[in-house]
Amino acid sequence: MTIGVNTTLRSKKNKSYTLGREIGAGGEGRVFEIPGQWMVAKIYKKVVGDIEQKLTYMVDHPVDNLKDADGDPYMKLAWPQDILYDDTGAFVGYIMPFIEQGVGIFNIARGCDSAASKAMFPRYTRVHNVVAATNLARAVAHLHAHGYIIGDMNSQNILVGPKCCVIILDNDSFDITDPQTGHHFKCTAGTQEYLAPELQGRNLRDERSRFTAESDNFSLAIHIFQLLMNNFHPFTGKNLAVNQDSSVNQQLENIQKGRCPFVRDIPNMTIPVQAPYLVEMVTPKLVGDFCRSFTYDETNVLAKARQRVTAQQWVNDLSAFLQLLAPGAQRVQCPQNATHIYISSQGKCGLCAAQERYNKYVQGLSSIKKIQISIPSHSNSGPSTVSGPSIGSGPSSGSGPSSGSGPNTGSGLKPFLWVFLLFAAFALLMYSLSEYEPDKTPSSQTQYDENKIAHVTGTMEPDTVGDWETSVYVLSKPIVGCLSMTVDYSAEIDGGATCRNWSVYVRTQNGWEELGTMLLSSSGTARKTFTLDGSLYIEALTFYPNTEGSLSWSEEIDITDVVQTGVMPSRQEAQQPQVQATQAPSGEALSGYYETHNVLDWSTSVWMLNSPIRNRTSVHVGFYVEMTGSIRCEEWRVYARIGNGSWRQIDTLTVSYDANGEATTDKVIYLDSPTTIDAIGIVPKNGGNFSWVHGIAVYDD
């Protein structure tokens, strides 16, 4: 039976529901409104496992929404209300409440930065973040009290509604155990950025990998930290020792090993440059709560898990913080930014203090070009200092040691000491050479170990291809220099329409390109092997019907038998002129924060703009880099995250290093068309065993 608009379904409670327009779709199913009722129906694309029994248990054991004394909700749930069956009696989905209003919790964590969140909270201050954190803790405590575990507590499943009411979605993925029968309805999905360390790297479908109240408490602590700390993740740090390569996601490794630089000293790691200090943002009691939640290592993680702060304890301690932030208590409104609220005992605004530290850091980067170096010059009368050239220029005439320089036996070091020092230096040099092993990675090689991939997994994500908005299949591991790949495709078109000829598009280093076409069989499936020349770096794939009229369809995509060169293809240069900036920026540096993202095949810190720049035909980017390893990278790729959330390469930068291994440059980059940008990331142009720290600036000119 094909289920779509106007389909009538029967329910477990012996009611009938007629489906209205489709209002959403995801990997599991599609969501339809129920006309005339404040309800929606979720219809599964494929029924898997014991989901019907799980939903039946939830319908029979509901959890009511939390409300305050005035009847306003602290929490709302998309809780199953009834079970749906088709006309053959087969289970197809369930009924849940319609959630009218809400913005992603990450919008609040970032300071109410989206248009929707600003419209919902026109008088926003940082107190809203504390209220949202308190209500989220209330929601988790309420669910735990009823025996429910959330499991996959990721930021996409949590909304914030009016009066900071917390809305939790995807309730059908909760981890549930029936206390009477002992049957376990397992949560089988997890988002790594919020996943407890004891579950990191585990097969979540394995019964031995179980979500618990303690794992929920860990995820909750991360959400609370981000809400109170300007969206910084507690396990994001500036690592000064570990190479940033594609094989390691530094943030996830930090979670696994308990490396949280905000709560304790971590060797060779600091907090991100623009991050506020924890003690400047919250009460001492909350500092202690974060320490309890995030202080562990690989040897004691299970023991420490039992000591994590519970959801109810977070409610108590956040409520005490809110009392201090109430008007007339210790509340102080920052004179520099009216949305910044802090308590008088903190002495200053933690967010402004963080911005001031960052501004000094940026000023230090921009002053590198103006530093004068001093070159020691030895003479018979003793050492003197001669002013040398600025960084980047060659040696000036007369610089360096003068004639007759060297040790003076009357006033300098004794000859035998010179012999000893020279011998020691020679021995140290020989030892260093014996320990040094050159990097064997070719400069054009990326960080992939294999040129053949049996199966490439991926996720469906929204994107804009050409002039239409659609879902695309984003590969979990991009194909680098594709030589061939086999694509399996199946499409189920709603409403009885048909289309057999489909165009295949791939997202490459040059944007979206048409790869070819595939002809579907009468059953709606097709398989085709595409043979290519290795000139494409493929990171996503999508299909579009070659037919007139409007179609709605569900699809499945699979990619197998991939052969790649492993060598990053070159980017086609944009047709717009690339102009090198020759003077200081005419505008101010745009505010933002650092956040770890996967850009190309690197896990790196990118500069997230607090307010996106919209409809720009050019962007002025500044870049500072210090190579902390033995190998220098002179060419860098500049990526921008555009309005639909995808990363696009917009240009390259070439840098020249000074004697300290540091470089600073800036460039006005011209774009092919008006573009909205909310983040900039800069990574090495080619693969290699590189290690570096960097700073990024975006100027408003």
Side-chain angles (χ1 to χ4, degrees), residues 20-34:
R21 64 186 179 93
E22 183 175 343
I23 59 174
E28 287 187 337
R30 301 147 63 198
V31 178
F32 297 85
E33 67 177 3
I34 304 297

Side-chain angles (χ1 to χ4, degrees), residues 101 103 108 112-124 162:
Q101 291 180 299
V103 296
I108 307 302
C112 203
D113 67 343
S114 68
S117 59
K118 289 176 181 177
M120 183 169 292
F121 302 106
R123 298 182 179 179
Y124 166 83

Side-chain angles (χ1 to χ4, degrees), residues 461-464 507 597 640-648 676 678:
E461 298 180 9
D463 202 344
T464 301
R507 194 168 69 201
H597 281 258
R641 197 173 76 168
I642 64 175
N644 60 17
S646 62
W647 288 98
R648 297 285 188 275
T676 296
D678 66 0

Side-chain angles (χ1 to χ4, degrees), residues 2 35 116 139 169 173 181 185 239 292 305 334 383 396 402 530 545 698:
T2 300
L169 308 177
S173 71
T181 66
F185 301 105
N239 197 321
R292 278 180 57 191
C334 175
S396 60
S402 62
F530 292 92
V698 180

Side-chain angles (χ1 to χ4, degrees), residues 378-579:
H378 298 285
S379 69
N380 288 336
S381 61
S384 62
T385 300
V386 178
S387 178
S390 62
I391 290 176
S393 63
S396 60
S397 176
S399 66
S402 62
S403 176
S405 64
N408 184 307
T409 58
S411 60
L413 293 172
K414 300 301 182 182
F416 73 88
L417 288 179
W418 279 104
V419 173
F420 172 78
L421 290 174
L422 289 172
F423 177 81
F426 178 76
L428 180 60
L429 175 61
M430 292 299 100
Y431 175 78
S432 299
L433 291 175
S434 67
E435 291 294 306
Y436 174 70
E437 181 179 354
D439 176 39
K440 297 181 176 60
T441 305
S443 60
S444 62
Q445 191 77 14
T446 61
Q447 304 297 312
Y448 290 91
D449 297 329
E450 298 178 354
N451 289 344
K452 295 183 179 180
I453 308 174
H455 183 225
V456 179
T457 59
T459 57
M460 298 299 293
E461 298 180 9
D463 202 344
T464 301
V465 183
D467 57 355
W468 76 88
E469 294 184 359
T470 186
S471 293
V472 306
Y473 189 67
V474 179
L475 309 186
S476 59
K477 184 175 185 179
I479 305 171
V480 182
C482 184
L483 294 173
S484 68
M485 64 177 180
T486 299
V487 179
D488 287 276
Y489 182 65
S490 64
E492 180 179 343
I493 303 175
D494 300 336
T498 60
C499 176
R500 297 192 62 191
N501 189 281
W502 294 70
S503 290
V504 186
Y505 290 83
V506 289
R507 194 168 69 201
T508 74
Q509 72 273 20
N510 305 313
W512 284 101
E513 301 182 22
E514 185 170 3
L515 186 63
T517 60
M518 291 180 66
L519 191 65
L520 271 60
S521 67
S522 58
S523 61
T525 62
R527 163 175 280 203
K528 186 173 182 178
T529 297
F530 292 92
T531 302
L532 305 168
D533 60 3
S535 65
L536 294 182
Y537 167 92
I538 298 176
E539 60 182 11
L541 181 144
T542 192
F543 286 75
Y544 195 74
N546 292 319
T547 185
E548 296 181 356
S550 177
L551 290 182
S552 176
W553 71 92
S554 58
E555 60 189 356
E556 291 186 7
I557 301 172
D558 200 25
I559 299 176
T560 57
D561 300 330
V562 172
V563 179
Q564 61 181 5
T565 66
V567 177
M568 174 60 63
S570 61
R571 173 183 181 267
Q572 295 177 1
E573 293 299 327
Q575 297 303 308
Q576 295 289 341
Q578 306 299 303
V579 180

Side-chain angles (χ1 to χ4, degrees), residues 12-144:
K12 180 179 177 62
K13 295 181 178 180
N14 201 28
K15 297 180 180 179
S16 63
Y17 295 93
T18 300
L19 304 184
R21 64 186 179 93
E22 183 175 343
I23 59 174
E28 287 187 337
R30 301 147 63 198
V31 178
F32 297 85
E33 67 177 3
I34 304 297
Q37 302 187 47
W38 214 244
M39 296 286 180
V40 295
K42 179 174 180 178
I43 306 300
Y44 288 101
K45 295 179 180 178
K46 184 178 181 180
V47 177
V48 178
D50 55 4
I51 185 64
E52 180 185 359
Q53 293 88 341
K54 180 180 186 178
L55 291 167
T56 300
Y57 178 88
M58 297 178 76
V59 169
D60 293 340
H61 300 82
V63 176
D64 294 330
N65 293 333
L66 272 175
K67 297 182 180 180
D68 61 18
D70 297 327
D72 294 321
Y74 289 126
M75 172 201 78
K76 289 183 179 179
L77 297 170
W79 198 265
Q81 304 294 309
D82 205 349
I83 312 299
L84 294 176
Y85 302 92
D86 65 15
D87 53 11
T88 69
F91 165 76
V92 295
Y94 66 96
I95 295 291
M96 60 181 170
F98 173 62
I99 305 297
E100 181 183 20
Q101 291 180 299
V103 296
I105 193 170
F106 49 86
N107 288 304
I108 307 302
R110 294 197 303 241
C112 203
D113 67 343
S114 68
S117 59
K118 289 176 181 177
M120 183 169 292
F121 302 106
R123 298 182 179 179
Y124 166 83
T125 70
R126 283 284 166 173
V127 176
H128 286 78
N129 294 53
V130 186
V131 175
T134 307
N135 288 343
L136 178 59
R138 284 192 176 105
V140 177
H142 188 59
L143 287 165
H144 286 182

